[in-house]
Amino acid sequence: MKTRVCQILGCEYPIVEGGLAYVGNGRLAAAVSEGGGFGQVGSGGRSPEGFRQEIEIAASCTRKPFGVNVPLSEHRSPDAYFQVIEEMAAHIRAVSLSAGNPIPYVAPLQRLGLVVMTLASTPRQAQKAEEAGVDLVICEGVEAGGHDGPAELTTLSLVPAVCDVVSIPVVAAGGIADGRTAAAAFCLGAEGVQMGTRFVATIECQAHGAYKQAIVDGDVTATLVMERSLGRVTRVLDSPYTRAVLKQEQETPGDLNQILPLVAGRKNAAAALEGRLDEGWANCGQSLGLVHEILPAAEVVSRIMQDVGACLSRRASAFLQDGRA
Ligand SMILES: Cc1cc2nc3c(=O)[nH]c(=O)nc-3n(C[C@H](O)[C@H](O)[C@H](O)COP(=O)(O)O)c2cc1C
């Protein structure tokens, strides 16, 4: 299954590993790319030096193309990360930009020979990205783990609406974790899928085992959205800790002194890296309901590609023949 996303990113299959704050390590990015997908090293939750080290690890583990992610507003000084990207550009195929205005960075990154992808959570944002010359747009619905767009559109609504108004390739994100959900995204017009939650529960991901197991154990209802009182939408694992954050938000809405310490990055690290799920929060999408095993990342990619084919051919033709897929 070759799409324009494969051509642009230089990968075999149109499956992208999303930027994963704190847990998107170089070994995982390389494993996804080795498996035929497109891995990305995350910069969220890392120092510029830590980011550089993970890029070096990815480059030493694979000769296949991989990318990096920069969540702009998550960094006090994004320029330090762009400096690393410039220095390491020979190893990097693409940069995905999220959580902020990507437009000023598009042309400078492309001048380095890099593919630029941006996140969009509305059709208007996708159009602006296309006007700015972005190479491909990732449309992320509110099912997704981590920060979602304030319009809170679902992947099912967002992806076809974006495909109707842009001509650059669209990658669907949010709620995709198996062949069925990937096939659905392709039917909506996407030419690639991006997954986050599914790749956390892999052998190579540096996330703590307790976090991976919580993803395996959780059903589709086991997430909640916090930070709405701060004007943000952050989908995380449902836990006594994140429920306490929500309670605090209800009691003192928008009170930064009360709420910011609870949602600080170190509280994310405590849960995601140290496995202290009762003392911090962990990003997680609704697709955890589809994740039943911790697998090697390459196996995640190959299983999904096998199942996409089966879904698109067998189920669709059975449905067309006798109305029962
Ligand atoms: C643990 C985790 C951390 C994430 N961190 C980032 C990030 O730093 N930058 C970003 O652009 N997206 C981030 N995301 C979003 C993913 O890149 C991806 O778009 C999303 O997970 C897709 O939805 P899914 O969770 O249903 O697979 C994160 C998601 C998760 C689950």
PDB file of all heavy atoms in Angstrom, residues 56-92:
ATOM      1  N   GLU A  56      20.779  10.706  17.911  1.00  0.00           N
ATOM      2  CA  GLU A  56      21.992   9.913  17.625  1.00  0.00           C
ATOM      3  C   GLU A  56      21.707   8.417  17.790  1.00  0.00           C
ATOM      4  O   GLU A  56      22.148   7.598  16.985  1.00  0.00           O
ATOM      5  CB  GLU A  56      23.134  10.340  18.555  1.00  0.00           C
ATOM      6  CG  GLU A  56      23.765  11.644  18.116  1.00  0.00           C
ATOM      7  CD  GLU A  56      24.715  12.247  19.165  1.00  0.00           C
ATOM      8  OE1 GLU A  56      24.836  11.685  20.279  1.00  0.00           O
ATOM      9  OE2 GLU A  56      25.290  13.288  18.866  1.00  0.00           O
ATOM     10  N   ILE A  57      20.947   8.081  18.832  1.00  0.00           N
ATOM     11  CA  ILE A  57      20.611   6.660  19.042  1.00  0.00           C
ATOM     12  C   ILE A  57      19.796   6.141  17.859  1.00  0.00           C
ATOM     13  O   ILE A  57      20.074   5.072  17.314  1.00  0.00           O
ATOM     14  CB  ILE A  57      19.848   6.474  20.372  1.00  0.00           C
ATOM     15  CG1 ILE A  57      20.788   6.739  21.547  1.00  0.00           C
ATOM     16  CG2 ILE A  57      19.220   5.090  20.459  1.00  0.00           C
ATOM     17  CD1 ILE A  57      20.112   6.809  22.905  1.00  0.00           C
ATOM     18  N   ALA A  58      18.782   6.920  17.454  1.00  0.00           N
ATOM     19  CA  ALA A  58      17.949   6.478  16.317  1.00  0.00           C
ATOM     20  C   ALA A  58      18.818   6.277  15.080  1.00  0.00           C
ATOM     21  O   ALA A  58      18.714   5.253  14.391  1.00  0.00           O
ATOM     22  CB  ALA A  58      16.838   7.500  16.043  1.00  0.00           C
ATOM     23  N   ALA A  59      19.703   7.242  14.828  1.00  0.00           N
ATOM     24  CA  ALA A  59      20.539   7.158  13.620  1.00  0.00           C
ATOM     25  C   ALA A  59      21.487   5.965  13.674  1.00  0.00           C
ATOM     26  O   ALA A  59      21.824   5.391  12.637  1.00  0.00           O
ATOM     27  CB  ALA A  59      21.324   8.457  13.449  1.00  0.00           C
ATOM     28  N   SER A  60      21.888   5.582  14.910  1.00  0.00           N
ATOM     29  CA  SER A  60      22.815   4.448  15.003  1.00  0.00           C
ATOM     30  C   SER A  60      22.067   3.113  14.917  1.00  0.00           C
ATOM     31  O   SER A  60      22.678   2.075  14.692  1.00  0.00           O
ATOM     32  CB  SER A  60      23.622   4.525  16.305  1.00  0.00           C
ATOM     33  OG  SER A  60      22.766   4.264  17.403  1.00  0.00           O
ATOM     34  N   CYS A  61      20.748   3.134  15.113  1.00  0.00           N
ATOM     35  CA  CYS A  61      19.976   1.876  15.104  1.00  0.00           C
ATOM     36  C   CYS A  61      19.314   1.594  13.752  1.00  0.00           C
ATOM     37  O   CYS A  61      18.792   0.502  13.533  1.00  0.00           O
ATOM     38  CB  CYS A  61      18.880   1.904  16.169  1.00  0.00           C
ATOM     39  SG  CYS A  61      19.494   1.902  17.852  1.00  0.00           S
ATOM     40  N   THR A  62      19.205   2.597  12.900  1.00  0.00           N
ATOM     41  CA  THR A  62      18.568   2.350  11.599  1.00  0.00           C
ATOM     42  C   THR A  62      19.174   3.237  10.533  1.00  0.00           C
ATOM     43  O   THR A  62      19.607   4.361  10.832  1.00  0.00           O
ATOM     44  CB  THR A  62      17.034   2.585  11.654  1.00  0.00           C
ATOM     45  OG1 THR A  62      16.476   2.213  10.381  1.00  0.00           O
ATOM     46  CG2 THR A  62      16.665   4.030  11.955  1.00  0.00           C
ATOM     47  N   ARG A  63      19.168   2.713   9.314  1.00  0.00           N
ATOM     48  CA  ARG A  63      19.553   3.542   8.169  1.00  0.00           C
ATOM     49  C   ARG A  63      18.305   4.016   7.440  1.00  0.00           C
ATOM     50  O   ARG A  63      18.386   4.726   6.440  1.00  0.00           O
ATOM     51  CB  ARG A  63      20.465   2.754   7.215  1.00  0.00           C
ATOM     52  CG  ARG A  63      21.755   2.310   7.898  1.00  0.00           C
ATOM     53  CD  ARG A  63      22.725   1.674   6.923  1.00  0.00           C
ATOM     54  NE  ARG A  63      23.408   2.668   6.092  1.00  0.00           N
ATOM     55  CZ  ARG A  63      24.480   3.356   6.506  1.00  0.00           C
ATOM     56  NH1 ARG A  63      24.956   3.166   7.715  1.00  0.00           N
ATOM     57  NH2 ARG A  63      25.055   4.228   5.715  1.00  0.00           N
ATOM     58  N   LYS A  64      17.147   3.616   7.936  1.00  0.00           N
ATOM     59  CA  LYS A  64      15.889   4.030   7.293  1.00  0.00           C
ATOM     60  C   LYS A  64      15.518   5.427   7.771  1.00  0.00           C
ATOM     61  O   LYS A  64      15.936   5.853   8.850  1.00  0.00           O
ATOM     62  CB  LYS A  64      14.789   3.030   7.614  1.00  0.00           C
ATOM     63  CG  LYS A  64      15.142   1.656   7.074  1.00  0.00           C
ATOM     64  CD  LYS A  64      13.944   0.791   6.888  1.00  0.00           C
ATOM     65  CE  LYS A  64      14.356  -0.491   6.167  1.00  0.00           C
ATOM     66  NZ  LYS A  64      13.373  -1.543   6.277  1.00  0.00           N
ATOM     67  N   PRO A  65      14.707   6.138   7.004  1.00  0.00           N
ATOM     68  CA  PRO A  65      14.375   7.512   7.395  1.00  0.00           C
ATOM     69  C   PRO A  65      13.534   7.577   8.663  1.00  0.00           C
ATOM     70  O   PRO A  65      12.682   6.719   8.907  1.00  0.00           O
ATOM     71  CB  PRO A  65      13.564   8.032   6.202  1.00  0.00           C
ATOM     72  CG  PRO A  65      13.683   7.030   5.130  1.00  0.00           C
ATOM     73  CD  PRO A  65      14.120   5.740   5.730  1.00  0.00           C
ATOM     74  N   PHE A  66      13.788   8.601   9.455  1.00  0.00           N
ATOM     75  CA  PHE A  66      12.943   8.881  10.628  1.00  0.00           C
ATOM     76  C   PHE A  66      12.824  10.386  10.791  1.00  0.00           C
ATOM     77  O   PHE A  66      13.535  11.155  10.122  1.00  0.00           O
ATOM     78  CB  PHE A  66      13.501   8.214  11.899  1.00  0.00           C
ATOM     79  CG  PHE A  66      14.837   8.749  12.345  1.00  0.00           C
ATOM     80  CD1 PHE A  66      14.926   9.853  13.190  1.00  0.00           C
ATOM     81  CD2 PHE A  66      16.020   8.157  11.921  1.00  0.00           C
ATOM     82  CE1 PHE A  66      16.166  10.345  13.595  1.00  0.00           C
ATOM     83  CE2 PHE A  66      17.256   8.637  12.320  1.00  0.00           C
ATOM     84  CZ  PHE A  66      17.338   9.743  13.159  1.00  0.00           C
ATOM     85  N   GLY A  67      11.937  10.819  11.675  1.00  0.00           N
ATOM     86  CA  GLY A  67      11.707  12.247  11.871  1.00  0.00           C
ATOM     87  C   GLY A  67      11.840  12.653  13.323  1.00  0.00           C
ATOM     88  O   GLY A  67      12.234  11.848  14.181  1.00  0.00           O
ATOM     89  N   VAL A  68      11.535  13.915  13.566  1.00  0.00           N
ATOM     90  CA  VAL A  68      11.545  14.444  14.936  1.00  0.00           C
ATOM     91  C   VAL A  68      10.307  15.313  15.127  1.00  0.00           C
ATOM     92  O   VAL A  68       9.728  15.800  14.163  1.00  0.00           O
ATOM     93  CB  VAL A  68      12.814  15.290  15.238  1.00  0.00           C
ATOM     94  CG1 VAL A  68      14.075  14.451  15.092  1.00  0.00           C
ATOM     95  CG2 VAL A  68      12.890  16.523  14.357  1.00  0.00           C
ATOM     96  N   ASN A  69       9.915  15.488  16.375  1.00  0.00           N
ATOM     97  CA  ASN A  69       8.732  16.307  16.687  1.00  0.00           C
ATOM     98  C   ASN A  69       9.108  17.448  17.620  1.00  0.00           C
ATOM     99  O   ASN A  69       9.850  17.240  18.580  1.00  0.00           O
ATOM    100  CB  ASN A  69       7.657  15.427  17.349  1.00  0.00           C
ATOM    101  CG  ASN A  69       6.501  16.247  17.930  1.00  0.00           C
ATOM    102  OD1 ASN A  69       6.392  16.403  19.143  1.00  0.00           O
ATOM    103  ND2 ASN A  69       5.656  16.768  17.086  1.00  0.00           N
ATOM    104  N   VAL A  70       8.585  18.626  17.319  1.00  0.00           N
ATOM    105  CA  VAL A  70       8.792  19.778  18.207  1.00  0.00           C
ATOM    106  C   VAL A  70       7.425  20.372  18.586  1.00  0.00           C
ATOM    107  O   VAL A  70       6.773  21.017  17.763  1.00  0.00           O
ATOM    108  CB  VAL A  70       9.659  20.873  17.539  1.00  0.00           C
ATOM    109  CG1 VAL A  70       9.931  22.005  18.520  1.00  0.00           C
ATOM    110  CG2 VAL A  70      10.978  20.300  17.024  1.00  0.00           C
ATOM    111  N   PRO A  71       6.989  20.131  19.825  1.00  0.00           N
ATOM    112  CA  PRO A  71       5.768  20.777  20.299  1.00  0.00           C
ATOM    113  C   PRO A  71       6.132  22.198  20.772  1.00  0.00           C
ATOM    114  O   PRO A  71       6.668  22.367  21.866  1.00  0.00           O
ATOM    115  CB  PRO A  71       5.299  19.883  21.453  1.00  0.00           C
ATOM    116  CG  PRO A  71       6.529  19.155  21.914  1.00  0.00           C
ATOM    117  CD  PRO A  71       7.564  19.228  20.843  1.00  0.00           C
ATOM    118  N   LEU A  72       5.885  23.170  19.914  1.00  0.00           N
ATOM    119  CA  LEU A  72       6.492  24.509  20.071  1.00  0.00           C
ATOM    120  C   LEU A  72       6.257  25.130  21.444  1.00  0.00           C
ATOM    121  O   LEU A  72       7.194  25.565  22.107  1.00  0.00           O
ATOM    122  CB  LEU A  72       5.971  25.433  18.969  1.00  0.00           C
ATOM    123  CG  LEU A  72       6.391  24.992  17.562  1.00  0.00           C
ATOM    124  CD1 LEU A  72       5.514  25.638  16.497  1.00  0.00           C
ATOM    125  CD2 LEU A  72       7.853  25.328  17.333  1.00  0.00           C
ATOM    126  N   SER A  73       5.007  25.191  21.868  1.00  0.00           N
ATOM    127  CA  SER A  73       4.726  25.929  23.103  1.00  0.00           C
ATOM    128  C   SER A  73       5.128  25.160  24.362  1.00  0.00           C
ATOM    129  O   SER A  73       5.076  25.683  25.471  1.00  0.00           O
ATOM    130  CB  SER A  73       3.245  26.313  23.178  1.00  0.00           C
ATOM    131  OG  SER A  73       2.482  25.140  23.163  1.00  0.00           O
ATOM    132  N   GLU A  74       5.541  23.921  24.178  1.00  0.00           N
ATOM    133  CA  GLU A  74       5.983  23.135  25.336  1.00  0.00           C
ATOM    134  C   GLU A  74       7.421  23.480  25.736  1.00  0.00           C
ATOM    135  O   GLU A  74       7.891  23.048  26.780  1.00  0.00           O
ATOM    136  CB  GLU A  74       5.909  21.638  25.025  1.00  0.00           C
ATOM    137  CG  GLU A  74       4.512  21.130  24.718  1.00  0.00           C
ATOM    138  CD  GLU A  74       3.592  21.202  25.927  1.00  0.00           C
ATOM    139  OE1 GLU A  74       3.948  20.651  26.968  1.00  0.00           O
ATOM    140  OE2 GLU A  74       2.530  21.834  25.810  1.00  0.00           O
ATOM    141  N   HIS A  75       8.117  24.192  24.861  1.00  0.00           N
ATOM    142  CA  HIS A  75       9.514  24.531  25.139  1.00  0.00           C
ATOM    143  C   HIS A  75       9.646  26.013  25.442  1.00  0.00           C
ATOM    144  O   HIS A  75       9.110  26.849  24.696  1.00  0.00           O
ATOM    145  CB  HIS A  75      10.402  24.197  23.935  1.00  0.00           C
ATOM    146  CG  HIS A  75      10.438  22.741  23.594  1.00  0.00           C
ATOM    147  ND1 HIS A  75      10.770  21.768  24.522  1.00  0.00           N
ATOM    148  CD2 HIS A  75      10.203  22.075  22.433  1.00  0.00           C
ATOM    149  CE1 HIS A  75      10.722  20.573  23.941  1.00  0.00           C
ATOM    150  NE2 HIS A  75      10.381  20.734  22.689  1.00  0.00           N
ATOM    151  N   ARG A  76      10.416  26.334  26.490  1.00  0.00           N
ATOM    152  CA  ARG A  76      10.646  27.739  26.811  1.00  0.00           C
ATOM    153  C   ARG A  76      11.393  28.412  25.652  1.00  0.00           C
ATOM    154  O   ARG A  76      11.119  29.519  25.287  1.00  0.00           O
ATOM    155  CB  ARG A  76      11.445  27.843  28.116  1.00  0.00           C
ATOM    156  CG  ARG A  76      10.904  28.956  28.998  1.00  0.00           C
ATOM    157  CD  ARG A  76      11.477  28.884  30.393  1.00  0.00           C
ATOM    158  NE  ARG A  76      10.740  27.952  31.238  1.00  0.00           N
ATOM    159  CZ  ARG A  76      11.310  27.155  32.135  1.00  0.00           C
ATOM    160  NH1 ARG A  76      12.600  27.156  32.312  1.00  0.00           N
ATOM    161  NH2 ARG A  76      10.584  26.360  32.875  1.00  0.00           N
ATOM    162  N   SER A  77      12.330  27.655  25.078  1.00  0.00           N
ATOM    163  CA  SER A  77      13.095  28.225  23.973  1.00  0.00           C
ATOM    164  C   SER A  77      13.192  27.204  22.832  1.00  0.00           C
ATOM    165  O   SER A  77      14.144  26.426  22.749  1.00  0.00           O
ATOM    166  CB  SER A  77      14.489  28.618  24.484  1.00  0.00           C
ATOM    167  OG  SER A  77      15.387  28.677  23.438  1.00  0.00           O
ATOM    168  N   PRO A  78      12.186  27.227  21.926  1.00  0.00           N
ATOM    169  CA  PRO A  78      12.200  26.235  20.838  1.00  0.00           C
ATOM    170  C   PRO A  78      13.447  26.356  19.971  1.00  0.00           C
ATOM    171  O   PRO A  78      13.904  25.369  19.394  1.00  0.00           O
ATOM    172  CB  PRO A  78      10.948  26.577  20.014  1.00  0.00           C
ATOM    173  CG  PRO A  78      10.125  27.481  20.839  1.00  0.00           C
ATOM    174  CD  PRO A  78      11.002  28.116  21.870  1.00  0.00           C
ATOM    175  N   ASP A  79      14.047  27.549  19.919  1.00  0.00           N
ATOM    176  CA  ASP A  79      15.200  27.732  19.018  1.00  0.00           C
ATOM    177  C   ASP A  79      16.340  26.762  19.322  1.00  0.00           C
ATOM    178  O   ASP A  79      17.052  26.324  18.419  1.00  0.00           O
ATOM    179  CB  ASP A  79      15.716  29.168  19.089  1.00  0.00           C
ATOM    180  CG  ASP A  79      14.763  30.125  18.383  1.00  0.00           C
ATOM    181  OD1 ASP A  79      13.826  29.621  17.722  1.00  0.00           O
ATOM    182  OD2 ASP A  79      14.937  31.342  18.518  1.00  0.00           O
ATOM    183  N   ALA A  80      16.533  26.426  20.606  1.00  0.00           N
ATOM    184  CA  ALA A  80      17.610  25.498  20.955  1.00  0.00           C
ATOM    185  C   ALA A  80      17.377  24.131  20.296  1.00  0.00           C
ATOM    186  O   ALA A  80      18.331  23.445  19.909  1.00  0.00           O
ATOM    187  CB  ALA A  80      17.697  25.354  22.467  1.00  0.00           C
ATOM    188  N   TYR A  81      16.118  23.750  20.154  1.00  0.00           N
ATOM    189  CA  TYR A  81      15.800  22.456  19.533  1.00  0.00           C
ATOM    190  C   TYR A  81      16.003  22.534  18.020  1.00  0.00           C
ATOM    191  O   TYR A  81      16.452  21.568  17.389  1.00  0.00           O
ATOM    192  CB  TYR A  81      14.369  22.030  19.898  1.00  0.00           C
ATOM    193  CG  TYR A  81      14.232  21.802  21.386  1.00  0.00           C
ATOM    194  CD1 TYR A  81      13.960  22.862  22.250  1.00  0.00           C
ATOM    195  CD2 TYR A  81      14.433  20.540  21.929  1.00  0.00           C
ATOM    196  CE1 TYR A  81      13.888  22.678  23.622  1.00  0.00           C
ATOM    197  CE2 TYR A  81      14.366  20.333  23.301  1.00  0.00           C
ATOM    198  CZ  TYR A  81      14.088  21.411  24.142  1.00  0.00           C
ATOM    199  OH  TYR A  81      14.021  21.212  25.488  1.00  0.00           O
ATOM    200  N   PHE A  82      15.682  23.711  17.451  1.00  0.00           N
ATOM    201  CA  PHE A  82      15.912  23.862  16.010  1.00  0.00           C
ATOM    202  C   PHE A  82      17.406  23.886  15.690  1.00  0.00           C
ATOM    203  O   PHE A  82      17.820  23.443  14.623  1.00  0.00           O
ATOM    204  CB  PHE A  82      15.189  25.104  15.483  1.00  0.00           C
ATOM    205  CG  PHE A  82      13.693  24.899  15.443  1.00  0.00           C
ATOM    206  CD1 PHE A  82      12.853  25.588  16.294  1.00  0.00           C
ATOM    207  CD2 PHE A  82      13.143  23.960  14.579  1.00  0.00           C
ATOM    208  CE1 PHE A  82      11.489  25.362  16.280  1.00  0.00           C
ATOM    209  CE2 PHE A  82      11.771  23.723  14.558  1.00  0.00           C
ATOM    210  CZ  PHE A  82      10.946  24.427  15.407  1.00  0.00           C
ATOM    211  N   GLN A  83      18.188  24.378  16.645  1.00  0.00           N
ATOM    212  CA  GLN A  83      19.646  24.344  16.471  1.00  0.00           C
ATOM    213  C   GLN A  83      20.124  22.888  16.367  1.00  0.00           C
ATOM    214  O   GLN A  83      20.935  22.531  15.499  1.00  0.00           O
ATOM    215  CB  GLN A  83      20.297  25.052  17.675  1.00  0.00           C
ATOM    216  CG  GLN A  83      21.799  25.195  17.609  1.00  0.00           C
ATOM    217  CD  GLN A  83      22.227  26.101  16.460  1.00  0.00           C
ATOM    218  OE1 GLN A  83      21.545  27.070  16.162  1.00  0.00           O
ATOM    219  NE2 GLN A  83      23.326  25.733  15.806  1.00  0.00           N
ATOM    220  N   VAL A  84      19.602  22.049  17.265  1.00  0.00           N
ATOM    221  CA  VAL A  84      19.956  20.622  17.226  1.00  0.00           C
ATOM    222  C   VAL A  84      19.528  20.020  15.885  1.00  0.00           C
ATOM    223  O   VAL A  84      20.289  19.280  15.235  1.00  0.00           O
ATOM    224  CB  VAL A  84      19.282  19.855  18.398  1.00  0.00           C
ATOM    225  CG1 VAL A  84      19.493  18.353  18.252  1.00  0.00           C
ATOM    226  CG2 VAL A  84      19.796  20.364  19.731  1.00  0.00           C
ATOM    227  N   ILE A  85      18.320  20.377  15.446  1.00  0.00           N
ATOM    228  CA  ILE A  85      17.813  19.815  14.183  1.00  0.00           C
ATOM    229  C   ILE A  85      18.727  20.230  13.028  1.00  0.00           C
ATOM    230  O   ILE A  85      19.082  19.413  12.169  1.00  0.00           O
ATOM    231  CB  ILE A  85      16.355  20.274  13.944  1.00  0.00           C
ATOM    232  CG1 ILE A  85      15.433  19.594  14.965  1.00  0.00           C
ATOM    233  CG2 ILE A  85      15.913  19.976  12.515  1.00  0.00           C
ATOM    234  CD1 ILE A  85      14.012  20.117  14.984  1.00  0.00           C
ATOM    235  N   GLU A  86      19.148  21.490  13.043  1.00  0.00           N
ATOM    236  CA  GLU A  86      20.027  21.958  11.961  1.00  0.00           C
ATOM    237  C   GLU A  86      21.338  21.158  11.958  1.00  0.00           C
ATOM    238  O   GLU A  86      21.802  20.714  10.909  1.00  0.00           O
ATOM    239  CB  GLU A  86      20.292  23.454  12.134  1.00  0.00           C
ATOM    240  CG  GLU A  86      21.075  24.025  10.980  1.00  0.00           C
ATOM    241  CD  GLU A  86      21.098  25.548  10.964  1.00  0.00           C
ATOM    242  OE1 GLU A  86      20.377  26.194  11.759  1.00  0.00           O
ATOM    243  OE2 GLU A  86      21.864  26.090  10.150  1.00  0.00           O
ATOM    244  N   GLU A  87      21.883  20.965  13.159  1.00  0.00           N
ATOM    245  CA  GLU A  87      23.159  20.248  13.238  1.00  0.00           C
ATOM    246  C   GLU A  87      23.029  18.765  12.855  1.00  0.00           C
ATOM    247  O   GLU A  87      23.975  18.161  12.373  1.00  0.00           O
ATOM    248  CB  GLU A  87      23.735  20.367  14.655  1.00  0.00           C
ATOM    249  CG  GLU A  87      24.286  21.773  14.923  1.00  0.00           C
ATOM    250  CD  GLU A  87      24.424  22.081  16.414  1.00  0.00           C
ATOM    251  OE1 GLU A  87      24.474  21.133  17.232  1.00  0.00           O
ATOM    252  OE2 GLU A  87      24.448  23.265  16.740  1.00  0.00           O
ATOM    253  N   MET A  88      21.850  18.208  13.117  1.00  0.00           N
ATOM    254  CA  MET A  88      21.654  16.768  12.868  1.00  0.00           C
ATOM    255  C   MET A  88      20.858  16.521  11.576  1.00  0.00           C
ATOM    256  O   MET A  88      20.405  15.393  11.335  1.00  0.00           O
ATOM    257  CB  MET A  88      20.865  16.153  14.044  1.00  0.00           C
ATOM    258  CG  MET A  88      21.480  16.352  15.407  1.00  0.00           C
ATOM    259  SD  MET A  88      23.036  15.487  15.593  1.00  0.00           S
ATOM    260  CE  MET A  88      22.480  13.798  15.698  1.00  0.00           C
ATOM    261  N   ALA A  89      20.688  17.554  10.755  1.00  0.00           N
ATOM    262  CA  ALA A  89      19.759  17.463   9.615  1.00  0.00           C
ATOM    263  C   ALA A  89      20.089  16.310   8.664  1.00  0.00           C
ATOM    264  O   ALA A  89      19.182  15.740   8.045  1.00  0.00           O
ATOM    265  CB  ALA A  89      19.732  18.786   8.855  1.00  0.00           C
ATOM    266  N   ALA A  90      21.367  15.956   8.584  1.00  0.00           N
ATOM    267  CA  ALA A  90      21.736  14.878   7.651  1.00  0.00           C
ATOM    268  C   ALA A  90      21.093  13.549   8.055  1.00  0.00           C
ATOM    269  O   ALA A  90      20.927  12.652   7.224  1.00  0.00           O
ATOM    270  CB  ALA A  90      23.255  14.728   7.624  1.00  0.00           C
ATOM    271  N   HIS A  91      20.731  13.406   9.334  1.00  0.00           N
ATOM    272  CA  HIS A  91      20.142  12.141   9.810  1.00  0.00           C
ATOM    273  C   HIS A  91      18.606  12.155   9.780  1.00  0.00           C
ATOM    274  O   HIS A  91      17.980  11.133  10.038  1.00  0.00           O
ATOM    275  CB  HIS A  91      20.572  11.880  11.263  1.00  0.00           C
ATOM    276  CG  HIS A  91      22.048  11.713  11.418  1.00  0.00           C
ATOM    277  ND1 HIS A  91      22.722  10.644  10.904  1.00  0.00           N
ATOM    278  CD2 HIS A  91      22.971  12.483  12.030  1.00  0.00           C
ATOM    279  CE1 HIS A  91      24.004  10.752  11.183  1.00  0.00           C
ATOM    280  NE2 HIS A  91      24.182  11.872  11.859  1.00  0.00           N
ATOM    281  N   ILE A  92      18.028  13.343   9.607  1.00  0.00           N
ATOM    282  CA  ILE A  92      16.583  13.502   9.824  1.00  0.00           C
ATOM    283  C   ILE A  92      15.878  13.693   8.485  1.00  0.00           C
ATOM    284  O   ILE A  92      16.340  14.449   7.636  1.00  0.00           O
ATOM    285  CB  ILE A  92      16.324  14.742  10.720  1.00  0.00           C
ATOM    286  CG1 ILE A  92      17.006  14.573  12.078  1.00  0.00           C
ATOM    287  CG2 ILE A  92      14.834  14.992  10.895  1.00  0.00           C
ATOM    288  CD1 ILE A  92      17.044  15.866  12.898  1.00  0.00           C
TER     289      ILE A  92
END
